[in-house]
Amino acid sequence: MSKKISIMNISEDDLATFCEQYNYPKFHSSQILNWIYKKYITSFEEMSNIPKDLRTLLNENYFFHNSKIDSIEEDETGTKKLLISLYDKKKIESVILEKNDRVTFCLSSQVGCGYGCRFCATGSMGLFRNLTADEILSEFILMRAITKKVNSIVFMGMGEPLANTKNLFKAIDTINSYKGFNLGIRHITISTSGEVVGIKQLIDRDLDCRLAVSLHSLKNEVRDKIMPINKRYNIENLMAILKRYSKNGKRMITFEWVLIKGVNDSVNDAYRIVNLKKEFPFKVNIIPMNPVAHAPELLRPNKDIILRFKSILKDNGIEVIERFKQGQGILAGCGQLATKN
């Protein structure tokens, strides 16, 4: 018997062919997918309208997923951090954010990360491997089983999503598809440290999800120190591809700005952001530095400095959001995800 493969890697057409191969009507293929993506079942035995012998054949040839939740931590805001074990015993962390009756899944795309951003605990792990498309989808299913609802997802967990575009795009197609999870494309956000090649692939695919860019400085010498990717794609390269992505102002871009004391929190830093207004539309998420064990020298500015930075942007007509401090107590805040693999 051939090795089992994930049912979430199989298209409806391939499932129809499988059914016909064993003399079952091909309409069972759409029923099977409906059970998986609409009813969130986790075993073939639960597919009550599928013939028992066909369920046995499915179980002999396919599996749902091998991912499982090892633990769940929750803070006082209701933020939940999931530690998930994969088929090879590698581990990832994913986060469920709940606010004002809205549920957001923060999904990982890699085990670890190879980009080494100084302010990010995940980057201190190094890269172990990419997640497969069905592993990304299994994250979604495991989280959905807890919340029973989801309003949006953000690929802001562990890893650089645009360094894993093959699996990322395949997973997004299923999440967005009417026959998949049917989540609107504008409710899906990809966060990148500035992976220019990956952004170009987004442009080529004309994938209309939202894009968040971890910017954190508009000075190459500063960005070189805190974000090694800048040595490959400097600010000028990054701004050029973002201008293309914005389609002459038709797409809004979000800039993530981890505010670090004495590094990128000055008046001049704020006005450099203001000067980008003439290039394309954007908004800014300010994230006061969350503590990470590997970089104790990187500190959060005081409240007055944070307020001054925000005020300069707001006074110049830029939409600014200061990230609420969800998840910090359980190390689930921005830049704090890390596992012992």
Side-chain angles (χ1 to χ4, degrees):
M1 183 183 295
S2 60
K3 185 178 179 181
K4 287 187 181 183
I5 58 177
S6 170
I7 192 71
M8 289 183 288
N9 275 335
I10 304 301
S11 68
E12 183 174 357
D13 288 342
D14 288 341
L15 273 177
T17 300
F18 176 85
C19 291
E20 289 185 311
Q21 177 184 345
Y22 291 99
N23 300 314
Y24 289 98
K26 64 181 182 181
F27 68 77
H28 286 311
S29 62
S30 61
Q31 292 176 323
I32 293 166
L33 294 182
N34 189 66
W35 279 105
I36 297 169
Y37 297 121
K38 306 300 184 189
K39 299 182 180 179
Y40 299 96
I41 52 95
T42 56
S43 73
F44 295 110
E45 284 305 308
E46 296 174 74
M47 298 179 175
S48 57
N49 62 346
I50 304 298
K52 185 175 181 179
D53 288 348
L54 178 54
R55 280 181 271 161
T56 300
L57 286 166
L58 288 169
N59 195 48
E60 290 173 352
N61 288 273
Y62 304 110
F63 63 87
F64 274 85
H65 60 78
N66 292 324
S67 303
K68 67 181 182 68
I69 297 174
D70 282 355
S71 64
I72 302 175
E73 295 180 75
E74 183 171 354
D75 71 2
E76 68 281 359
T77 71
T79 297
K80 298 176 180 66
K81 183 174 74 170
L82 282 62
L83 178 64
I84 298 174
S85 286
L86 307 172
Y87 77 92
D88 57 357
K89 310 305 180 186
K90 295 286 189 292
K91 299 180 187 295
I92 57 170
E93 291 183 332
S94 307
V95 179
I96 299 172
L97 301 166
E98 298 190 45
K99 188 176 182 182
N100 299 329
D101 200 38
R102 290 188 59 81
V103 177
T104 299
F105 294 168
C106 183
L107 300 177
S108 293
S109 55
Q110 296 180 311
V111 183
C113 182
Y115 283 65
C117 295
R118 185 63 184 154
F119 48 81
C120 180
T122 311
S124 71
M125 293 171 57
L127 178 65
F128 290 86
R129 65 174 177 84
N130 288 331
L131 294 186
T132 62
D134 63 297
E135 285 175 323
I136 295 171
L137 294 173
S138 70
E139 275 186 272
F140 187 102
I141 286 176
L142 290 171
M143 298 165 95
R144 177 62 174 68
I146 295 170
T147 63
K148 310 303 180 187
K149 66 177 286 188
V150 58
N151 300 103
S152 59
I153 64 171
V154 293
F155 285 96
M156 293 182 181
M158 299 175 70
E160 165 56 65
L162 293 183
N164 184 19
T165 52
K166 177 183 176 182
N167 294 302
L168 175 74
F169 292 163
K170 186 174 181 180
I172 287 176
D173 284 345
T174 299
I175 291 169
N176 175 235
S177 167
Y178 172 74
K179 292 191 175 182
F181 293 121
N182 197 27
L183 185 68
I185 196 68
R186 300 296 290 168
H187 295 276
I188 299 172
T189 299
I190 297 172
S191 178
T192 179
S193 59
E195 181 51 66
V196 168
V197 171
I199 297 171
K200 185 178 184 301
Q201 290 178 48
L202 281 177
I203 295 169
D204 293 342
R205 277 182 62 109
D206 199 26
L207 191 59
D208 202 27
C209 55
R210 298 182 185 275
L211 181 65
V213 178
S214 293
L215 189 56
H216 314 308
S217 180
L218 282 163
K219 295 174 66 177
N220 279 316
E221 58 269 31
V222 173
R223 209 163 183 267
D224 282 350
K225 291 179 181 178
I226 61 175
M227 299 186 73
I229 190 175
N230 199 70
K231 296 173 183 177
R232 279 193 289 136
Y233 309 119
N234 63 23
I235 290 167
E236 291 74 22
N237 294 149
L238 180 57
M239 292 303 138
I241 197 70
L242 291 179
K243 195 168 184 177
R244 284 182 56 196
Y245 176 84
S246 74
K247 284 189 168 183
N248 296 318
K250 293 179 182 177
R251 280 181 174 147
M252 172 77 77
I253 294 168
T254 298
F255 285 132
E256 308 281 351
W257 195 281
V258 171
L259 209 55
I260 307 170
K261 181 180 179 180
V263 175
N264 62 357
D265 61 348
S266 72
V267 170
N268 286 339
D269 287 313
Y271 277 107
R272 287 188 187 95
I273 299 174
V274 171
N275 289 336
L276 279 180
K277 282 176 60 178
K278 61 182 180 293
E279 299 295 333
F280 43 75
F282 62 87
K283 61 182 178 180
V284 179
N285 281 344
I286 289 178
I287 309 151
M289 177 72 196
N290 289 320
V292 288
H294 73 279
E297 76 281 6
L298 299 183
L299 303 174
R300 174 183 301 223
N302 64 43
K303 291 181 180 179
D304 290 339
I305 296 297
I306 295 171
L307 180 60
R308 182 185 69 184
F309 198 92
K310 287 170 58 179
S311 296
I312 291 171
L313 300 185
K314 286 184 176 180
D315 291 346
N316 284 276
I318 295 172
E319 182 182 350
V320 184
I321 298 171
E322 182 180 348
R323 285 275 190 89
F324 185 62
K325 301 173 185 178
Q326 286 179 274
Q328 286 184 26
I330 54 174
L331 298 181
C334 182
Q336 293 184 305
L337 299 183
T339 65
K340 295 178 180 179
N341 276 287

